[in-house]
Amino acid sequence: MTRWLQWFHRWLGLILGLQVLIWLITGLYFSVMGNQAMSGHTHFEPLPNESLAGLEWSSNIGDLSRRFDDIQQVEWQQVLQIPQLKVVTADNTYYLDGRSGKPWQTDRALATDIAKASYSGAGTIDEVVEVDARFQVLFDDPVSTEVLIGKADGAVQGHRNWNWYIADWMFRLHFMDYSGGRDFNNLLIRASGLVTLWFAIAGLILLLRNVKRGDLWRPQTLLHQLQHKQHPVASGCGGGGTCGLCKVKYTADIPAVSSADNQLLSPDEIADGIRLSCQQRKLPDSGLRDIELLDVNARAWQLEIESEQQITPTLKHIVFLRPPNFTFNPGQFLQFQIATRAGAVLRNYSLANRSDDNQLSVLVRRIENGIGSEFMHSLRAGDRVDVIGPLGDFQLRSENQRNGYSVFIGGGAGIAPIRSQVLSLLSSQDPAQVVLFYGARCEQELAFQAEFERLAKDHRLRYIPVLSESLSASGDFLTGWVHSEALKYIENVGVDKVDVYLCGPPAMLNQTLNGLRELGVPAERVRYDDFGI
Ligand SMILES: Cc1cc2nc3c(=O)[nH]c(=O)nc-3n(C[C@H](O)[C@H](O)[C@H](O)COP(=O)(O)OP(=O)(O)OC[C@H]3O[C@@H](n4cnc5c(N)ncnc54)[C@H](O)[C@@H]3O)c2cc1C
Ligand code: FES
């Protein structure tokens, strides 16, 4: 409930904040422009109020009391020296042509003359348009003046121009009256008032809750404190307690186990004093001295891009010059610092190359509007990037079974750390049987296909690509779910003979982990990396 309240409160605050901004901008506009400019009367000239003397009135007007019921008022007036009679009854107002006694008619020529008489600018008439009960006389001056003349009475209903139209929109936005009526008491503004009241009450409830929990005065999380001091700590969820990457080891004053610790850490890690730093706020009495960072080789680097290549429709392979002294374990990743207008954001990309290569490389899947992946896809040879690393404990087990099988299961961009592990394992002296299951949507999305096929041809790797969304045109590929094929294989060779490494999309990861659990593969023989995407 509170989470929903917070979510709604945040978005509502954004919307109300936008409206306040609109009020500020439109209010500023009104005060700068002034009434005259916004009224559209830049070239307005009142019609001459000439005397009625000398006008010829028709004798056909007759007895008005016989023509109209319940007359309240009669006015004798003129429009450009044409006599006009205005008769106001209880229900209506009538205009008569004083020359004939017939109902008043404004024709196009008269409307043009009236418009000219009420216009003081230098423009000439461009067009006269008949719109419903009036004429719009358009002048070709710089502000595009329009003079509105009523058909029923020949009166000048008003002048409009660009300034008027802009001001009209400003009024709509300011009054929240999009009907154009400039009514400050409309339904939308009343509803907004109620919503704002709810916003204020909800804000008060949340504030009281935070005060009660002492959140207002709580120190930052240990993760934030470490990152602020430029210590290399991994994070894949920004401190949300869901990625399990921000592990640190307490050597004294070990804090209680949080629910996120319980979910994401193994019992051995918990017993060893390892905790998720994003869940801790309290430092040991000795400060950071009694906290050990687990990624001991990690530090800040600036890497230069040697080359980049789009190797599948969505995956880009980016190769960096390897700095001297950079060492990593296959499966580890780099944390990239990406500068954005809102400040630096951190994104993790796994190293995809063999651990003893002369270069470093990553494989990045493009995500539309993704801050990190779009940035990575925009990089070109010669560009430099700031990274921290190597980070992460998705690594090959030192006690891999010699006579068993190392089974790797990769999906999508998850093939990156898997490739690094497979190539590194194959280059070691005495590899176990190495089996790679690689899931992709279609044949074109299989990265490093030629390389894996070559290794398979040399009988160094058993390579099984599986396509999930397209049928294999050549018949060379299995189709379906990669985890189903891998689980069948593991069941076949024996669950006690395998070490399993997996990395891929969340659905694949979860189903594989569940399947391995059901088959009875010991948890300590399964390693996986969760990209969180
Ligand atoms: C340890 C670790 C290693 C990683 N290694 C790699 C790697 O080797 N290669 C790689 O490509 N990525 C890798 N990632 C994921 C990577 O760090 C980013 O999360 C990913 O690139 C998306 O970031 P972004 O800034 O582009 O998208 P964001 O700006 O964070 O997200 C943009 C939008 O896209 C959505 N979105 C995010 N990801 C996906 C997705 N996959 N599919 C659909 N929608 C999505 C988000 O929910 C959001 O709405 C790794 C992550 C971790 C934690
Ligand atoms: S940062 Fe993700 S669990 Fe701590």
Side-chain angles (χ1 to χ4, degrees):
M1 174 64 182
T2 317
R3 184 169 282 212
W4 178 85
L5 195 71
Q6 271 174 326
W7 180 87
F8 200 56
H9 192 259
R10 188 176 316 135
W11 283 104
L12 200 61
L14 187 73
I15 295 167
L16 292 175
L18 271 179
Q19 183 58 44
V20 170
L21 197 69
I22 288 174
W23 279 327
L24 273 175
I25 293 170
T26 49
L28 201 67
Y29 179 83
F30 295 149
S31 62
V32 169
M33 293 305 287
N35 214 20
Q36 169 69 11
M38 291 192 301
S39 67
H41 283 189
T42 317
H43 298 306
F44 178 74
E45 177 82 28
L47 287 183
N49 191 11
E50 289 172 12
S51 146
L52 298 179
L55 296 182
E56 285 187 16
W57 297 90
S58 164
S59 54
N60 289 340
I61 294 172
D63 185 355
L64 291 175
S65 58
R66 287 228 312 265
R67 289 176 65 183
F68 301 100
D69 292 334
D70 201 5
I71 295 177
Q72 314 263 308
Q73 192 185 340
V74 176
E75 282 179 33
W76 305 80
Q77 51 195 36
Q78 53 88 21
V79 176
L80 294 189
Q81 286 293 295
I82 303 172
Q84 187 188 61
L85 205 61
K86 179 179 174 187
V87 181
V88 182
T89 69
D91 308 325
N92 218 333
T93 300
Y94 301 91
Y95 294 89
L96 304 179
D97 189 328
R99 296 169 301 185
S100 62
K102 291 182 181 160
W104 178 274
Q105 289 278 320
T106 310
D107 62 15
R108 191 174 282 266
L110 179 59
T112 309
D113 289 342
I114 299 170
K116 275 187 198 160
S118 85
Y119 176 76
S120 63
T124 54
I125 291 178
D126 216 13
E127 203 181 350
V128 180
V129 189
E130 219 174 316
V131 184
D132 300 330
R134 64 188 178 202
F135 286 100
Q136 268 180 335
V137 183
L138 313 179
F139 287 82
D140 64 355
D141 58 28
V143 286
S144 302
T145 303
E146 291 171 16
V147 181
L148 309 179
I149 310 292
K151 279 187 191 168
D153 58 357
V156 178
Q157 294 179 340
H159 278 213
R160 287 182 185 171
N161 55 29
W162 271 116
N163 294 333
W164 185 92
Y165 280 109
I166 294 173
D168 189 50
W169 266 105
M170 292 290 176
F171 276 113
R172 284 167 197 249
L173 291 165
H174 197 80
F175 289 176
M176 297 174 84
D177 180 3
Y178 296 95
S179 69
R182 300 189 184 181
D183 175 9
F184 221 141
N185 194 20
N186 61 68
L187 192 65
L188 183 61
I189 210 161
R190 275 185 271 161
S192 304
L194 281 178
V195 171
T196 309
L197 185 67
W198 179 90
F199 176 75
I201 293 171
L204 202 65
I205 293 172
L206 290 171
L207 180 72
L208 289 176
R209 191 200 61 142
N210 285 352
V211 170
K212 212 167 121 196
R213 289 193 342 186
D215 274 6
L216 290 187
W217 299 277
R218 280 213 288 184
Q220 285 191 316
T221 63
L222 178 58
L223 173 68
H224 280 119
Q225 295 179 54
L226 290 168
Q227 285 184 335
H228 185 68
K229 293 196 167 113
Q230 303 294 321
H231 290 298
V233 190
S235 157
C237 66
T242 54
C243 71
L245 290 177
C246 60
K247 298 173 194 174
V248 292
K249 182 171 173 171
Y250 282 76
T251 51
D253 292 337
I254 301 173
V257 181
S258 70
S259 60
D261 289 332
N262 258 331
Q263 265 175 26
L264 297 166
L265 301 179
S266 70
D268 285 352
E269 286 175 321
I270 289 177
D272 221 14
I274 292 176
R275 298 288 182 272
L276 296 174
S277 59
C278 69
Q279 302 300 303
Q280 304 300 332
R281 292 175 192 271
K282 189 176 163 292
L283 290 182
D285 292 340
S286 58
L288 292 179
R289 244 182 312 132
D290 280 323
I291 289 181
E292 272 179 18
L293 303 181
L294 301 185
D295 293 300
V296 284
N297 290 328
R299 48 164 272 216
W301 307 86
Q302 192 170 65
L303 300 182
E304 183 180 337
I305 291 152
E306 187 184 86
S307 64
E308 39 81 24
Q309 195 188 357
Q310 190 77 37
I311 56 172
T312 81
T314 60
L315 295 172
K316 178 167 251 193
H317 188 215
I318 305 170
V319 180
F320 304 92
L321 296 174
R322 184 173 187 151
N325 310 328
F326 186 102
T327 55
F328 75 98
N329 290 317
Q332 288 196 294
F333 62 90
L334 297 174
Q335 189 173 67
F336 286 72
Q337 301 192 17
I338 297 160
T340 69
R341 279 196 205 136
V345 297
L346 305 175
R347 291 291 184 271
N348 305 317
Y349 294 100
S350 301
L351 288 158
N353 58 295
R354 223 171 56 185
S355 53
D356 57 356
D357 272 348
N358 290 332
Q359 297 106 338
L360 300 173
S361 78
V362 295
L363 185 68
V364 180
R365 180 182 151 203
R366 180 177 208 142
I367 291 164
E368 210 170 320
N369 298 325
I371 302 168
S373 62
E374 295 246 343
F375 167 80
M376 297 297 285
H377 274 246
S378 73
L379 292 172
R380 297 289 174 265
D383 289 349
R384 289 170 179 276
V385 282
D386 291 315
V387 303
I388 290 177
L391 297 162
D393 57 3
F394 177 51
Q395 297 173 22
L396 292 168
R397 281 163 50 87
S398 49
E399 63 280 21
N400 258 359
Q401 311 215 28
R402 286 268 166 94
N403 299 320
Y405 301 83
S406 290
V407 179
F408 293 86
I409 311 168
I415 196 66
I418 295 285
R419 175 186 185 240
S420 174
Q421 292 176 330
V422 166
L423 297 185
S424 303
L425 193 60
L426 288 178
S427 70
S428 70
Q429 293 288 313
D430 190 12
Q433 293 207 48
V434 184
V435 186
L436 169 60
F437 287 88
Y438 181 11
R441 281 191 296 113
C442 55
E443 202 172 330
Q444 295 73 29
E445 281 297 345
L446 287 170
F448 310 114
Q449 170 71 351
E451 178 182 54
F452 292 141
E453 277 183 339
R454 187 168 30 79
L455 290 167
K457 228 179 188 167
D458 295 347
H459 303 289
R460 303 177 60 206
L461 170 73
R462 177 127 203 254
Y463 173 49
I464 301 122
V466 185
L467 307 181
S468 64
E469 281 184 14
S470 65
L471 292 174
S472 166
S474 56
D476 291 345
F477 300 97
L478 291 175
T479 54
W481 297 117
V482 66
H483 65 273
S484 308
E485 296 301 329
L487 290 172
K488 267 192 261 170
Y489 179 86
I490 290 168
E491 192 175 15
N492 229 4
V493 296
V495 291
D496 51 344
K497 291 212 180 84
V498 290
D499 288 290
V500 185
Y501 301 87
L502 67 132
C503 183
M508 176 205 126
L509 211 60
N510 290 335
Q511 296 193 35
T512 317
L513 288 173
N514 287 340
L516 290 170
R517 220 170 290 129
E518 279 165 22
L519 284 181
V521 180
E524 66 276 10
R525 296 215 159 270
V526 179
R527 293 207 164 176
Y528 64 93
D529 206 6
D530 185 357
F531 283 4
I533 57 171

